[in-house]
Amino acid sequence: MKNNDRFIALQAICWVVLEKKSLSTFAYPQEVSPLSKSLVFGTIRFYHQLNDIVSDLLKHSLKKQDLDIHCLMLLGAYQLLHSNVASHASIFETVNIADTLDKSWAKSLINAILREVDRQKDTLKQQTHYSHPTWLLKKIKHAYPDNFAQIFKQNNTQAPMTLRLHPRHNIDTHLDATKIKVAPQARLLKQAISVYDIPDFDKGSCFVQDASAQLAAPLLEPKNGDLILDACCAPGGKTTHISELTPKSKIVALDSSSERLKRVTENIERFDIKNITLLQGKAQTQDWWDGQLFDKILLDAPCSATGVIRRHPDIKLLRKPKDISALVALQKDILDNLWTMLKPGGTLLYATCSILKNENEQQIANFLQNHANATEVPITLDWGLKVAHGKQQIPCYEFDGFYYAKLKKNIKEKDS
């Protein structure tokens, strides 16, 4: 019974809701079913709505040691409101998980709550509930008064799968996909598939990468012969893309985590790339740097990841307002530090997968105010919203939420 789809799903949900740990660090059993994963992602995606519904129906909140039962009711409510599982199966199978938890006493409670959710199903489905934490709801509504409904809808939708095709391979004919004009190597798959079903995936035929992220390398305008820094590089999608465009450049790929660098190494090996040097170090320090100035710097800055919630719904539960101010301070430190490593005349491309203005256009406004030798280069791509500084894409079907700003370091005039 402990390999039951719903029991596995419940463990992953409790990992996020009760342990406050990232879903990406949850160890699923080797043989995990697509149903388990869809139940996990769905329940986490609609957690705030489901929690409000279940909490309202409970006469008394459960004791701390029984909060797994609360999570189990959320799992049941998700199936009733958002899945194609038949109501009777949703209720029956979910109630029986209480036996697996050795909490048979809870079966009648779970049954009563889920039957009430089922009775109210039509009404509940008609109610507007954006299923985001209050602080984020307010922040997004304030920042995007005309677009917040689209953002919330996209955040509660499963993201499509997009590939970046390597020019060296020709696998287009094997894919059921559409092209994206602004990102020529991007292919938006009609349906997600296993990478093992993609021809020559192990030989570097493609990289799974959202189209927004595929814009970084072309925007940087790398040239053969350039010395390029990719700061905060893991898992290596943008690094390998820069190499594809300029195989004769020299790329330094930096990340602070040895674990994440292992993933970069795997991708470099899969693409058989020879022009990337990996370094472990913090982008806000200089102890890893040999003093040689870079022609181009890509800073894919640590951020709130509020533009990729549809891919990582646990962000809505794990991210807190205080995290944002800490991230904004870290981004500033990294920007200031890396700017000293850029050649006069060189380009720094600042990128985040955030939609929060203080991490994006406000960060760049402050940077430009504090650095007289920095000039913003306009981004003219037919992509995203033009904002005070840089360009901001909000989540939509083809693109994750993403931000770019391009900065050039002025060449100082020589003293006459």
Side-chain angles (χ1 to χ4, degrees):
M1 186 65 177
K2 295 215 171 181
N3 278 336
N4 173 297
D5 289 329
R6 286 170 181 79
F7 180 71
I8 292 166
L10 177 65
Q11 287 179 303
I13 293 161
C14 290
W15 179 259
V16 176
V17 175
L18 305 181
E19 303 290 328
K20 311 291 183 204
K21 291 180 179 169
S22 166
L23 195 50
S24 62
T25 63
F26 179 73
Y28 287 100
Q30 215 166 6
E31 295 298 314
V32 62
S33 72
L35 174 62
S36 277
K37 285 202 171 180
S38 74
L39 293 175
V40 173
F41 275 78
T43 305
I44 298 296
R45 192 168 277 132
F46 292 101
Y47 168 83
H48 293 87
Q49 178 204 26
L50 303 170
N51 190 47
D52 283 353
I53 291 167
V54 168
S55 299
D56 281 350
L57 292 173
L58 281 168
K59 289 190 174 70
H60 307 286
S61 51
L62 293 161
K63 292 174 184 170
K64 192 176 179 182
Q65 66 265 31
D66 295 323
L67 288 177
D68 52 353
I69 295 296
H70 186 90
C71 290
L72 183 55
M73 288 188 274
L74 302 185
L75 172 58
Y78 165 72
Q79 294 167 75
L80 292 167
L81 296 173
H82 295 289
S83 82
N84 297 323
V85 182
S87 292
H88 65 274
S90 299
I91 296 170
F92 178 77
E93 298 289 350
T94 304
V95 166
N96 283 340
I97 298 296
D99 287 333
T100 315
L101 296 171
D102 293 327
K103 293 185 179 180
S104 301
W105 58 265
K107 288 172 81 171
S108 57
L109 173 65
I110 300 164
N111 187 57
I113 296 291
L114 294 186
R115 287 195 181 282
E116 190 53 40
V117 171
D118 196 37
R119 268 193 289 274
Q120 296 183 25
K121 183 160 63 175
D122 293 339
T123 311
L124 291 169
K125 280 183 169 182
Q126 283 166 6
Q127 292 171 355
T128 299
H129 196 303
Y130 293 121
S131 203
H132 280 63
T134 309
W135 72 271
L136 189 55
L137 201 72
K138 286 179 179 170
K139 214 167 171 58
I140 291 174
K141 278 187 169 183
H142 178 71
Y144 300 98
D146 301 325
N147 308 102
F148 68 81
Q150 177 192 326
I151 293 170
F152 296 140
K153 185 182 176 185
Q154 282 296 322
N155 285 356
N156 293 331
T157 306
Q158 187 177 343
M161 183 174 177
T162 306
L163 304 179
R164 185 188 84 232
L165 303 195
H166 196 296
R168 189 171 63 213
H169 296 259
N170 183 15
I171 62 167
D172 250 335
T173 50
H174 301 276
L175 302 173
D176 186 11
T178 54
K179 295 181 179 181
I180 295 174
K181 195 175 176 183
V182 74
Q185 289 173 249
R187 296 296 180 272
L188 187 68
L189 299 185
K190 301 272 175 69
Q191 207 166 358
I193 54 174
S194 163
V195 292
Y196 302 109
D197 293 334
I198 299 171
D200 293 332
F201 179 81
D202 56 332
K203 294 175 187 158
S205 64
C206 63
F207 198 100
V208 179
Q209 186 181 42
D210 182 79
S212 282
Q214 293 189 38
L215 302 177
L219 276 172
L220 192 63
E221 294 185 89
K223 293 185 171 56
N224 283 318
D226 277 351
L227 177 62
I228 301 166
L229 172 66
D230 182 2
C232 316
C233 67
K238 299 177 189 72
T239 326
T240 53
H241 196 187
I242 295 167
S243 176
E244 278 168 31
L245 299 181
T246 52
K248 290 182 180 170
S249 62
K250 287 170 80 176
I251 302 165
V252 174
L254 177 77
D255 204 273
S256 60
S257 160
S258 57
E259 273 306 304
R260 290 200 300 265
L261 280 171
K262 282 179 191 167
R263 289 187 61 198
V264 185
T265 304
E266 286 164 11
N267 284 316
I268 288 171
E269 286 172 356
R270 185 165 66 84
F271 281 89
D272 192 26
I273 291 170
K274 308 294 184 199
N275 65 330
I276 297 173
T277 303
L278 291 184
L279 288 180
Q280 187 179 347
K282 292 180 177 175
Q284 68 271 36
T285 66
Q286 297 199 355
D287 52 0
W288 50 269
W289 183 43
D290 65 2
Q292 201 176 348
L293 294 173
F294 294 97
D295 297 287
K296 308 277 164 63
I297 296 177
L298 169 61
L299 168 54
D300 190 0
C303 73
S304 62
T306 43
V308 291
I309 284 173
R310 60 184 188 169
R311 297 185 190 279
H312 305 282
D314 53 334
I315 288 167
K316 290 193 280 185
L317 280 82
L318 302 177
R319 195 72 72 230
K320 302 292 177 226
K322 67 174 191 287
D323 300 335
I324 309 302
S325 15
L327 284 163
V328 168
L330 176 59
Q331 291 157 0
K332 179 190 181 298
D333 289 348
I334 294 175
L335 258 172
D336 289 345
N337 184 49
L338 296 184
W339 192 248
T340 65
M341 303 180 182
L342 185 65
K343 273 183 190 173
T347 301
L348 184 147
L349 183 67
Y350 178 81
T352 75
C353 55
S354 167
I355 57 168
L356 303 183
K357 289 181 182 290
N358 48 346
E359 295 184 89
N360 296 341
E361 59 186 282
Q362 286 168 17
Q363 183 73 267
I364 296 302
N366 293 338
F367 180 82
L368 289 166
Q369 202 172 352
N370 295 327
H371 295 79
N373 64 344
T375 302
E376 183 183 357
V377 180
I379 293 171
T380 56
L381 281 179
D382 183 17
W383 170 92
L385 308 169
K386 191 178 185 322
V387 288
H389 297 284
K391 269 210 156 179
Q392 177 73 63
Q393 175 68 63
I394 58 171
C396 62
Y397 180 68
E398 296 91 346
F399 297 105
D400 283 344
F402 225 86
Y403 174 82
Y404 286 112
K406 193 169 176 177
L407 305 167
K408 202 157 195 77
K409 195 172 198 177
N410 303 338
I411 300 172
K412 289 180 184 174
E413 289 182 19
K414 292 178 183 174
D415 294 331
S416 51

